[in-house]
Amino acid sequence: QVQLVESGGDSVAAGGSLRLSCAASGFTYRSRCMSWFRQAPGKERVGVATISSGGITDYTDAVKGRFAISEDNTKNIIYLEMNSLKPEDTAKYYCAAMINPYDGCRSWGTRARYKDWGQGTQVTVSS
């Protein structure tokens, strides 16, 4: 059974940095996309970043150049390094796994493609 546990959320001032972690367990599939989504109050959950099993990354335009996704394969942890944080980054951040995607990670931003989700971690950025 896939289990995803996020941590690292906090309250920071604009311009600050945070690193989120997602501890993944319960699956050994070689082909998967590990992604971060976020959901602000009253808004839809949207994709932020993804990393494929081959280490290829992609980001939503709003965070390009500020956020970086990475993974430690030895520990099965996916990280989201967030720099130059803005108040509009305030949201609950979720880790999600897409297992054996037929199209690689091309559809990584589509929420419906993910079966497994973590419980989320809150990030609040004050101006």
Side-chain angles (χ1 to χ4, degrees), residues 12-116:
V12 297
S17 299
L18 282 175
R19 187 175 78 162
L20 306 183
S21 300
C22 171
S25 61
F27 65 97
T28 57
Y29 299 97
R30 291 186 178 274
S31 178
R32 80 293 182 273
C33 304
M34 298 301 300
S35 302
W36 286 94
F37 280 70
R38 67 185 180 186
Q39 187 167 18
K43 296 190 175 181
E44 291 188 359
R45 192 174 299 187
V46 295
V48 175
T50 192
I51 185 164
S52 73
S53 47
I56 297 172
T57 60
D58 197 10
Y59 302 87
T60 189
D61 287 346
V63 307
K64 282 181 180 176
R66 299 188 299 122
F67 290 13
I69 188 170
S70 62
E71 63 181 333
D72 183 335
N73 288 325
T74 62
K75 298 179 181 178
N76 289 331
I77 298 177
I78 296 86
Y79 300 102
L80 185 68
E81 188 77 35
M82 305 187 296
N83 299 307
S84 302
L85 282 162
K86 304 175 181 180
E88 50 263 44
D89 295 318
T90 295
K92 196 163 189 180
Y93 284 71
Y94 297 87
C95 180
M98 188 193 308
I99 308 299
N100 289 330
Y102 61 85
D103 60 351
C105 295
R106 293 184 187 86
S107 302
W108 71 269
T110 302
R111 180 180 175 180
R113 294 292 307 276
Y114 295 83
K115 175 186 172 185
D116 301 293

